[in-house]
Amino acid sequence: MSSLFPALTDGPGERSETGVPPDEVWGRIALRFGERSATYGELAGAAGALAARLRGAGRVAVWATPELETAVAVTGVLLAGAAAVPLNPRSGEKELAHIVSDSAPRLVLAAPGAELPDALGALERVDVDASAGPGAVPDETAGDEDAALIVYTSGTTGPPKGAVLPRRALAGTLDALADAWQWTADDVLVQGLPLFHVHGLVLGILGPLRRGGSVRHLGRFSTEGVARELNAGATMLFGVPTMYHRIAEALPGDPELAEALGRARLLVSGSAALPVHDHERIAAATGRRVIERYGMTETLMNTSVRADGEPRAGTVGVPLPGVELRLVEEDGTPITAYDGESVGEIQVRGPNLFTEYLNRPDATAAAFTADGFFRTGDMAVREPDGYVRIVGRKATDLIKSGGYKIGAGEIENALLEHPGVREAAVTGEPDADLGERIVAWIVPADPQAPPAAEELADHVARRLAPHKRPRVVRYLDALPRNDMGKIMKRALADV
């Protein structure tokens, strides 16, 4: 197979697959974390030296802190033909012990001085030297179907499952995004995402490296950091909705931030739906529209709004090149109507898919249809022009009320348009008459004067339809969220 990182493997004097002369690429900044940086030549030396040590290692755990060493570690593991197992530093001992037992890594890579928990105590530790000088990069010998990453899912219904992502999934997704986003070696990405997840690691680190471009990682997200980097020449911003919400909140009083965002070539949001209200506030202040894409750990990226397409708020665009996407009824019958109303489960097939859940043949078999489509569990509608609009998760966001199938996402967006609502989540609960009734969980903008339940119900009914209005409203100080900013709706049942 061709290299995952042509900018690293095509050294000075060799032909480059990135479209940039190799000698020029070699001296470019590849990675920057705060004040620390590495050129492609320096990254090749550090990752190449690590790769030589890891040959034949099989699986290698990586303590995935937001540091230069994590990027060097994962690059070195992939150059060695091994599989990286990114570990969330915020995971508890029980979850880490399960991941280590399940994936059986040969050793763990970490930044020098990082304190590792007892759950990793039995593993050989190797400190990553990110300052190794220029050196040779070993030839990549792994095949397209060989494992590149084993990323553990959140485990909401049991212990986390390890999704095995092959090298062809990484290459396929990143090349499809390059097509959709017109992503080139000239792009400079700014992000502040965690590196144990596919968004921050695959898209936000491996993406720029595959293109021969550059990434500036903020370490910890801040609107000040975003403004600084975009004003200093960064062209793209990747974030999650909580980050864009903070940007939208800061814009009215921060003209420098508005100016910086207006300079960006591409603003991309993912990992959860970005409320339409935040879309509109950012567009009004900056003249730039955020585009959304849709993916999962098991599938990497499935759809996106294209850079040359219409950045339509509330949608995740069209299927990426090579990805087949269909909506199906509960009995598996494909939905052929692109009418913006018919709700079905998204199923996808293509080179972007994982190969298996590690050590879980039962779960792997259940995840796929007989004709090879992956059951995402996400519910959506398709517009007449093919744009996909996700309305929620099948397990938690599809509400069957009064004979209607209702997606929680569109009700949440409507609620967020009310000036008295800061945050909103919508769930269903059993109802003897309706089957399920719609419940709105509200964080009010002013806790001392929350909007009345009847006012919110009328607000939704006017914007959507009467049968989509919430029947119950519950008020909270904050919504439970995970590390990626996603609302944990199962936890609402315990509130």
Side-chain angles (χ1 to χ4, degrees):
M1 66 170 288
S2 61
S3 170
L4 282 174
F5 308 112
L8 294 177
T9 53
D10 299 338
E14 299 178 19
R15 181 182 63 82
S16 175
E17 297 179 30
T18 64
V20 180
D23 291 331
E24 181 182 333
V25 173
W26 212 244
R28 281 187 174 188
I29 297 294
L31 303 163
R32 198 175 83 195
F33 287 74
E35 299 299 315
R36 305 175 66 208
S37 64
T39 65
Y40 274 93
E42 291 166 341
L43 176 60
L50 186 59
R53 179 171 183 173
L54 297 176
R55 282 291 195 198
R59 300 177 195 138
V60 178
V62 177
W63 191 243
T65 53
E67 298 177 85
L68 180 60
E69 282 80 7
T70 298
V72 171
V74 173
T75 305
V77 172
L78 296 178
L79 288 174
V85 184
L87 301 177
N88 178 359
R90 297 179 63 180
S91 292
E93 290 275 349
K94 183 177 180 180
E95 182 171 287
L96 284 173
H98 164 73
I99 292 172
V100 169
S101 173
D102 190 56
S103 61
R106 180 77 61 87
L107 46 83
V108 59
L109 303 178
E115 185 175 343
L116 301 185
D118 292 342
L120 307 181
L123 294 177
E124 177 189 354
R125 172 177 176 156
V126 173
D127 284 342
V128 177
D129 181 4
S131 61
V137 175
D139 292 334
E140 293 183 65
T141 58
D144 287 350
E145 295 300 318
D146 288 340
L149 297 173
I150 302 174
V151 182
Y152 278 78
T153 62
S154 56
T156 55
T157 56
K161 299 189 294 289
V164 180
L165 295 165
R167 296 169 72 92
R168 54 107 171 125
L170 271 61
T173 274
L174 295 177
D175 291 348
L177 290 177
D179 177 90
W181 294 345
Q182 300 171 5
W183 193 353
T184 73
D186 293 328
D187 279 305
V188 177
L189 170 66
V190 57
Q191 59 127 321
L193 297 160
L195 301 186
F196 53 82
H197 192 270
V198 297
H199 191 173
L201 179 59
V202 177
L203 274 62
I205 297 293
L206 305 185
L209 295 183
R210 183 161 176 81
R211 301 271 70 81
S214 180
V215 58
R216 301 174 186 174
H217 197 286
L218 299 174
R220 180 184 295 274
F221 173 85
S222 70
T223 57
E224 295 82 7
V226 167
R228 181 185 67 246
E229 297 302 342
L230 289 175
N231 279 326
T235 62
M236 302 167 67
L237 171 66
F238 289 178
V240 296
T242 51
M243 295 174 180
Y244 281 104
H245 179 73
R246 288 173 59 187
I247 287 172
E249 293 277 286
L251 279 170
D254 193 342
E256 182 183 357
L257 177 61
E259 182 181 351
L261 290 165
R263 288 196 177 108
R265 187 180 74 79
L266 214 59
L267 306 174
V268 183
S269 180
S271 296
L274 179 63
V276 173
H277 181 49
D278 287 335
H279 269 286
E280 300 303 333
R281 290 197 291 173
I282 292 170
T286 69
R288 304 293 299 173
R289 285 200 169 270
V290 180
I291 68 170
E292 293 188 77
R293 85 301 180 280
Y294 160 61
M296 301 177 67
T297 301
E298 293 92 337
T299 68
L300 296 181
M301 294 303 108
N302 299 308
T303 72
S304 180
V305 174
R306 295 182 60 88
D308 55 1
E310 180 187 352
R312 196 179 306 162
T315 75
V316 292
V318 296
L320 290 169
V323 177
E324 297 177 69
L325 183 147
R326 68 187 183 190
L327 303 183
V328 300
E329 301 277 10
E330 290 186 66
D331 62 1
T333 303
I335 295 173
T336 57
Y338 289 10
D339 57 10
E341 293 293 335
S342 299
V343 177
E345 181 188 1
I346 298 173
Q347 295 184 349
V348 292
R349 182 170 66 182
N352 55 314
L353 296 189
F354 77 134
T355 54
E356 63 174 334
Y357 290 116
L358 188 66
N359 304 320
R360 291 291 305 275
D362 54 337
T364 303
F368 288 91
T369 64
D371 54 352
F373 278 82
F374 175 74
R375 299 182 170 99
T376 68
D378 288 317
M379 308 301 291
V381 300
R382 292 192 80 171
E383 306 292 347
D385 60 2
Y387 269 57
V388 177
R389 179 162 53 88
I390 297 173
V391 299
R393 289 289 294 169
K394 185 177 182 180
T396 57
D397 293 324
L398 184 66
I399 303 166
K400 298 176 182 178
S401 182
Y404 295 98
K405 288 194 293 184
I406 303 167
E410 59 180 343
I411 304 174
E412 290 163 354
N413 270 325
L415 288 165
L416 288 166
E417 292 176 11
H418 190 286
V421 174
R422 181 179 298 278
E423 295 183 85
V426 169
T427 61
E429 65 182 23
D431 184 276
D433 179 39
L434 297 169
E436 284 186 292
R437 57 179 170 264
I438 297 169
V439 179
W441 303 79
I442 300 297
V443 177
D446 180 359
Q448 303 306 314
E454 184 178 350
E455 178 184 347
L456 292 176
D458 291 344
H459 172 84
V460 171
R462 286 194 302 270
R463 279 160 175 75
L464 300 177
H467 68 269
K468 295 180 181 179
R469 69 189 186 278
R471 306 289 179 141
V472 178
V473 177
R474 299 193 174 111
Y475 301 92
L476 299 172
D477 294 330
L479 296 177
R481 296 180 182 272
N482 66 12
D483 289 326
M484 295 302 294
K486 292 183 180 180
I487 297 169
M488 298 186 294
K489 292 194 174 180
R490 293 181 188 277
L492 289 171
D494 299 325
V495 172

